[in-house]
Amino acid sequence: MIINHKRKKMLCALMSSALLFGMTGLGSAEETEQEYTFDEYVVTANRIPVKLTEVAAHVTVITGEEIEKGGFTRISDVLRSKNVNTGSTSFGSFPVLNGDDRVLILVDGRKMNWPHLMFSGNDHVINIDGLSVENIERIEVLRGPGSSLYGSDAVGGVINIITRRGDESRTAAAAEFGNWGFKRYSLTTEGTAGDIRYLLTAEQKKRDDFEYKDAVTGKTRTHAASDIDQDLVTLRLDKELGNGRDLSFQWEHTNDQSAFGAALIADGSAANPAGRQDLTSNNVALTYRWNQDSGAANFFRVYRNTSDGTLYQSLVKSDGVSPYTYDLYANGAEWQQNWKLSENHTLVGGANWLKEHLDDKDTINRGVTTKSVFLENQWKLPDNWTLSVGTRYDDQSIVGDNTTSRLSINREIDATTNIYASWGQFVRNPTVAQLFSNTIYWVGNPSLKPEEGNTITVGMNTELGDGTKLQASVYSSRLKNAIQWKSFWPAEDPGYYENVDREKRKGLDISLTKTLSPQWDVTAGYSYAQIKTTANSTGYYDDPKNSQPNGYHLGFDYHQDKWKAGLTLRAATNRSLEKFTSESYLTMDLAVHYQINPTTRIYANAYNLTDEAYELIGNVWYEPGSYPMAGRSFFVGIEHRM
């Protein structure tokens, strides 16, 4: 009997899980009744609800209540308030985890990353500020590789934005105003109709060109072509089917007609002073779940994500005149099953099918299909040890197949303390644009290999008493076949993509929270990230694009009676002057809320109170300071629930 090469690799990939499956004791596989309190569990790290003290990973949970209390209107501001590093420009933001911007973005477990250049100057990321904050139940930030569970793109980590179901019947309207003509209006209505829950949100944001402090002259300048014009709508319908079964329909719509000045050039003017974009996305998903009352995460989902856009007075087609356009879609189907094989052994498995397609109405009209299967075993061992072993096999129609695995061990010392260690592989497949582009700006390379590597993480979570909680982790990762765009700019010939780089990362993240009194809480955090690369060199050297070699975070929260307030300080040091205008920066943000009555609240937010001149992204084509952050700004708003 002859077995082809791909089947051999698939069998090898699943062999460890199959063998470990067979090692399970022959005890009863009865379900144990268990009460699940969602706030005590996370789902992203293991794809099933697991207690925080049983998770062998560094996970940050941001609740919808914290988002509301902070008055946040952008997901990037939410993440930065919790010491999650981001890159930001005048037109969007993306997260950076473990010093890496190759981060997988999920909405309720659905992949949002696209096989195209969705963020100018960066092939790795998507704009997280194109997602609504109005319907969020919680955000789970998982640091470290997630490819064995989620496949490509989960290199530095995974961010899962979990939306909430409709609750009691109510409608809320909000209005907010601020610097540079900022206006934001939102409407949320939710309730029940028989056994159906519904939640509808609508949001509109507009802002004129923002101002920033020039790092060289210290003067306040206006960033041309940086205005914002966004509409966001979400709808979620949930129908209870009984016996732990439900059906969920979700729709997310975004229309972005903001300016696209992109970077600033040497004289401080926008690279594209008349640049604009017209981007529209529509994502729909239908999910059937079962055995939800026992805490299982069993589901079958079908979904379709679409995104189309036109960029005016900036990028052009190969004729050198016509505005650049693109039309993207992703059709997916996912199945996941959770088996309770014994009291101490759980198996999670599933399969995925995903077809992604890019048509730029010019030189690319190509698609890629990925078929995947995954298995993860979890054992509860004596003395509160938990062992997890998982493997995923992906077969992509263009670059072929790859296998990623992980192994983790966790010790739950008591109800509030655990220590863990993990090793995990990751992969990031080249995008359709990287493989087949043929524009005047860049040329694809059909011979590109996937970026791949592994990460080792060791960490702990504990409560020290007196309302003090500590979370800490250290990591070390290696990556090979990193894809780089070799630019010839500003020469006329386009650049091209190639596998040229190896990268090494190591670092740590520490966060501390303490309740000082019934009214006061304080949080403090420190992160260290060392990034070494071989790009354009024969040996390793420090990557000058590292935006946060040392990051610091300090926050104070006050809450009493009708008042809530928060003060957040963020800082970074030891940055390279080759890519940034300053080696360090310090910013301060303030949020104040007052509940006038049970249905109405007013709030005020202030950002960058220090009026710092700084950037969160190093220059790509021009001089340092190409992507300045907004200067000191103030916003006031009111929300009324009917």
Side-chain angles (χ1 to χ4, degrees):
M1 179 178 178
I2 298 176
I3 302 176
N4 66 37
H5 177 66
K6 286 188 176 182
R7 288 182 179 175
K8 283 182 179 179
K9 291 192 72 174
M10 181 175 178
L11 288 172
C12 291
L14 299 179
M15 185 175 295
S16 61
S17 291
L19 289 173
L20 292 170
F21 181 99
M23 292 168 58
T24 308
L26 300 177
S28 170
E30 293 181 1
E31 286 282 342
T32 302
E33 290 297 325
Q34 188 171 4
E35 287 292 329
Y36 281 82
T37 303
F38 193 53
D39 288 343
E40 300 174 355
Y41 289 76
V42 294
V43 298
T44 308
N46 297 78
R47 295 189 71 127
I48 58 173
V50 177
K51 288 197 304 181
L52 279 168
T53 52
E54 295 179 353
V55 175
H58 189 136
V59 180
T60 300
V61 178
I62 309 170
T63 66
E65 181 182 359
E66 291 174 307
I67 295 173
E68 180 181 10
K69 184 178 69 173
F72 299 113
T73 62
R74 300 182 303 180
I75 291 179
S76 60
D77 290 328
V78 176
L79 296 177
R80 285 194 291 268
S81 74
K82 293 297 181 180
N83 202 29
V84 177
N85 191 19
T86 68
S88 293
T89 71
S90 63
F91 53 85
S93 301
F94 56 84
V96 179
L97 299 176
N98 280 5
D100 203 317
D101 56 22
R102 301 171 182 89
V103 175
L104 178 64
I105 305 298
L106 307 174
V107 173
D108 293 318
R110 289 177 283 125
K111 180 180 178 180
M112 295 290 111
N113 300 62
W114 286 105
H116 188 32
L117 180 66
M118 302 302 293
F119 199 100
S120 178
N122 193 316
D123 293 282
H124 305 152
V125 301
I126 68 167
N127 179 16
I128 55 174
D129 288 337
L131 302 172
S132 176
V133 300
E134 290 294 316
N135 65 335
I136 295 177
E137 171 75 24
R138 57 202 266 134
I139 300 175
E140 295 186 357
V141 181
L142 170 65
R143 292 171 173 83
S147 289
S148 67
L149 289 174
Y150 297 101
S152 178
D153 298 303
V155 178
V158 180
I159 293 182
N160 191 8
I161 300 168
I162 301 170
T163 64
R164 64 185 183 90
R165 301 184 180 192
D167 201 353
E168 61 185 29
S169 296
R170 64 180 181 180
T171 298
E176 185 176 337
F177 306 92
N179 284 63
W180 316 306
F182 180 84
K183 297 184 291 289
R184 174 178 175 267
Y185 306 100
S186 68
L187 179 70
T188 300
T189 184
E190 61 184 304
T192 60
D195 56 1
I196 297 178
R197 297 185 180 190
Y198 63 87
L199 173 64
L200 174 67
T201 73
E203 181 181 4
Q204 182 185 70
K205 291 188 287 188
K206 289 188 177 183
R207 189 203 66 201
D208 299 331
D209 295 340
F210 73 83
E211 295 178 343
Y212 66 97
K213 187 175 182 180
D214 189 290
V216 177
T217 66
K219 296 181 179 180
T220 298
R221 303 190 61 169
T222 298
H223 190 308
S226 63
D227 60 274
I228 292 175
D229 187 354
Q230 287 183 332
D231 298 316
L232 303 98
V233 182
T234 70
L235 173 65
R236 175 164 178 167
L237 303 173
D238 292 275
K239 180 177 176 60
E240 298 292 337
L241 302 176
N243 298 321
R245 299 172 299 127
D246 64 44
L247 189 66
S248 179
F249 170 81
Q250 291 162 275
W251 171 57
E252 299 116 20
H253 167 80
T254 302
N255 180 246
D256 191 339
Q257 296 183 337
S258 304
F260 186 67
L264 299 180
I265 58 179
D267 64 2
S269 61
N272 304 300
R276 300 207 66 81
Q277 57 188 2
D278 187 357
L279 315 178
T280 301
S281 65
N282 286 284
N283 308 322
V284 294
L286 185 65
T287 305
Y288 171 69
R289 305 181 186 88
W290 63 95
N291 289 348
Q292 298 300 296
D293 51 0
S294 64
N298 303 331
F299 69 83
F300 178 76
R301 174 187 296 132
V302 292
Y303 66 95
R304 177 178 173 85
N305 296 345
T306 64
S307 178
D308 59 80
T310 302
L311 298 173
Y312 300 95
Q313 302 295 317
S314 53
L315 301 182
V316 294
K317 292 185 178 180
S318 57
D319 61 11
V321 178
S322 304
Y324 185 79
T325 63
Y326 67 83
D327 187 353
L328 288 159
Y329 71 78
N331 296 331
E334 300 177 290
W335 161 69
Q336 178 175 303
Q337 182 78 35
N338 177 21
W339 294 276
K340 186 80 171 179
L341 302 177
S342 71
E343 182 179 354
N344 296 317
H345 183 195
T346 301
L347 177 67
V348 182
N352 300 70
W353 176 87
L354 177 63
K355 181 176 182 180
E356 301 168 290
H357 190 273
L358 165 62
D359 181 2
D360 68 359
K361 313 297 182 182
D362 189 16
T363 63
I364 305 179
N365 188 4
R366 297 290 297 263
V368 56
T369 301
T370 305
K371 303 172 184 177
S372 312
V373 292
F374 70 91
L375 286 172
E376 174 146 314
N377 285 272
Q378 185 180 97
W379 292 271
K380 292 185 178 181
L381 306 175
D383 298 323
N384 293 323
W385 287 94
T386 302
L387 174 67
S388 297
V389 180
T391 303
R392 182 183 179 104
Y393 172 83
D394 293 274
D395 183 9
Q396 203 223 50
S397 58
I398 296 178
V399 300
D401 55 349
N402 48 63
T403 302
T404 51
S405 301
R406 75 165 181 168
L407 171 67
S408 66
I409 186 75
N410 181 80
R411 170 80 190 282
E412 185 179 23
I413 297 176
D414 55 40
T416 61
T417 303
N418 69 300
I419 56 175
Y420 59 86
S422 68
W423 169 86
Q425 295 175 307
F426 55 75
V427 66
R428 181 181 178 273
N429 292 320
T431 66
V432 174
Q434 290 171 334
L435 291 164
F436 302 113
S437 289
N438 187 18
T439 75
I440 64 174
Y441 308 103
W442 61 85
V443 175
N445 180 359
S447 300
L448 288 175
K449 301 175 183 178
E451 300 173 304
E452 56 186 4
N454 62 82
T455 300
I456 297 173
T457 306
V458 178
M460 69 174 299
N461 303 283
T462 187
E463 291 190 14
L464 304 175
D466 299 323
T468 303
K469 297 181 180 179
L470 174 66
Q471 189 174 33
S473 66
V474 296
Y475 63 88
S476 176
S477 69
R478 299 289 186 274
L479 181 143
K480 65 179 182 179
N481 298 329
I483 297 173
Q484 296 285 336
W485 178 43
K486 304 291 288 185
S487 173
F488 293 114
W489 193 91
E492 293 183 1
D493 292 340
Y496 64 95
Y497 292 100
E498 65 175 357
N499 296 104
V500 297
D501 192 11
R502 288 178 175 267
E503 297 175 1
K504 297 191 297 186
R505 286 174 168 79
K506 64 180 180 180
L508 61 89
D509 280 279
I510 301 173
S511 62
L512 189 72
T513 63
K514 181 174 178 59
T515 299
L516 300 176
S517 71
Q519 294 81 31
W520 287 95
D521 298 296
V522 62
T523 63
Y526 169 73
S527 64
Y528 167 75
Q530 182 191 83
I531 306 172
K532 290 186 175 293
T533 178
T534 62
N536 306 317
S537 173
T538 57
Y540 283 103
Y541 66 96
D542 289 332
D543 188 349
K545 299 189 299 296
N546 184 359
S547 64
Q548 191 172 284
N550 295 273
Y552 309 87
H553 174 270
L554 182 63
F556 298 92
D557 288 304
Y558 173 80
H559 42 87
Q560 183 172 12
D561 300 328
K562 297 182 178 182
W563 290 95
K564 292 181 181 178
L567 178 67
T568 302
L569 291 85
R570 293 182 293 108
T573 59
N574 294 338
R575 309 193 319 162
S576 170
L577 293 178
E578 178 184 342
K579 295 293 183 179
F580 300 92
T581 57
S582 62
E583 293 182 342
S584 62
Y585 67 83
L586 170 66
T587 69
M588 183 184 304
D589 301 331
L590 176 67
V592 179
H593 290 235
Y594 179 71
Q595 194 76 35
I596 298 175
N597 56 50
T599 60
T600 305
R601 69 183 179 103
I602 56 175
Y603 57 93
N605 289 63
Y607 295 99
N608 194 6
L609 282 169
T610 55
D611 199 23
E612 191 83 340
Y614 73 110
E615 316 86 43
L616 295 179
I617 297 179
N619 68 296
V620 179
W621 344 100
Y622 308 109
E623 298 298 319
S626 299
Y627 300 104
M629 294 296 292
R632 184 186 297 116
S633 56
F634 301 91
F635 303 86
V636 294
I638 182 170
E639 181 186 73
H640 178 67
R641 297 184 178 183
M642 294 167 269

